[in-house]
Amino acid sequence: MNLNSNQCRKVISQLHTYYKDFYSLAEIAYPQSIPFRSNEYYLYMFYSCLLDYGMRSKIYHQNLIEAYQKYPQLFSPKAVLTMEECEIKEILVKNVHPRYPNVALKKWINLSKQLMNYEDISEHLKKITSATELYDFIKSIKGYGQKTGGLLIRIITDSSICHFKEEMENIPIDRHDIEISYLTGVVDTMNLNLVEIKSLSSFYIQEGKKQKISPSSIDKYLWEVGNSFCNKKQCDDCPLQSLCNKKGSCL
């Protein structure tokens, strides 16, 4: 895999120019009844990010909100661990529609067991004093991958609950981000292994810092352009249209 600094800078610059004045960007929706930065808010976000693989993300989060409104116990670690597995799976399948129901069930139960170790997860997050410590904490909770864990880290960091001012060390890279990077010439292949995906993530952060653009902003820009333009095949209106070698078709 080869990384093109010049193209990466152009991508970041054009996305920043387009999105910098957007008030609400790449936000993860959650039920309005949940107070922001409350323990319930963070519990919901831990569950929310667990199965968010970046595919049809807005639909997924709307499904999740509706599931919460009908089955709030599904987002309480203590309540989940009193439920029968078949009941949990039925609720997830009928309401959340995960791509892999058995995997989703296992992850949901394992996360609930992990979260039971914390009487108040928001109080634990307040004690975290560095970006590295937050990364290690999320990594220690089994079930999160590069994409889902990175998304959760961004949500927690942006909420400013942790006691540090460092920026994110990684941004989550999914299939859409890789395709965008390939079509704009940032990378020369779409077949990236885990090590290369991590390198691409670090590359975006490195090039963004040269332009004084935060990792969180770059993450949001990539997510938004993929969701708002690539997924809808609105190539002619895309802020990356002049850079994208789409060869007649969108992602």
Side-chain angles (χ1 to χ4, degrees), residues 38-100:
S38 65
N39 184 57
E40 189 178 2
Y41 169 81
Y42 290 107
L43 286 176
Y44 182 88
M45 286 304 179
F46 270 83
Y47 285 111
S48 174
C49 292
L50 188 66
L51 305 178
D52 185 356
Y53 302 111
M55 301 294 289
R56 298 164 62 85
S57 186
K58 286 193 175 181
I59 295 175
Y60 162 75
H61 285 290
Q62 185 57 45
N63 290 340
L64 210 65
I65 289 171
E66 293 174 3
Y68 176 86
Q69 292 168 343
K70 291 186 287 186
Y71 307 99
Q73 68 271 26
L74 194 66
F75 301 84
S76 165
K78 185 176 181 179
V80 169
L81 297 179
T82 65
M83 299 168 66
E84 296 290 337
E85 290 191 8
C86 58
E87 180 186 4
I88 299 170
K89 183 177 179 180
E90 182 178 7
I91 293 173
L92 288 173
V93 169
K94 290 186 177 180
N95 296 272
V96 183
H97 312 298
R99 294 171 63 192
Y100 308 107

Side-chain angles (χ1 to χ4, degrees), residues 183-205:
L183 290 172
T184 55
V186 176
V187 294
D188 59 352
T189 178
M190 289 199 301
N191 299 317
L192 306 186
N193 57 39
L194 292 177
V195 173
E196 291 170 330
I197 289 173
K198 187 173 181 180
S199 294
L200 179 58
S201 170
S202 299
F203 189 61
Y204 271 112
I205 292 175

Side-chain angles (χ1 to χ4, degrees), residues 147-162:
K147 174 64 179 180
T148 55
L151 178 59
L152 180 57
I153 288 170
R154 191 249 285 173
I155 291 170
I156 293 172
T157 301
D158 284 355
S159 75
S160 300
I161 191 172
C162 300

Side-chain angles (χ1 to χ4, degrees), residues 19 28 37 52 98 149 155 176 191 205 208 232:
Y19 286 120
I28 300 302
R37 288 184 27 137
D52 185 356
I155 291 170
H176 279 167
N191 299 317
I205 292 175
K232 298 177 181 178

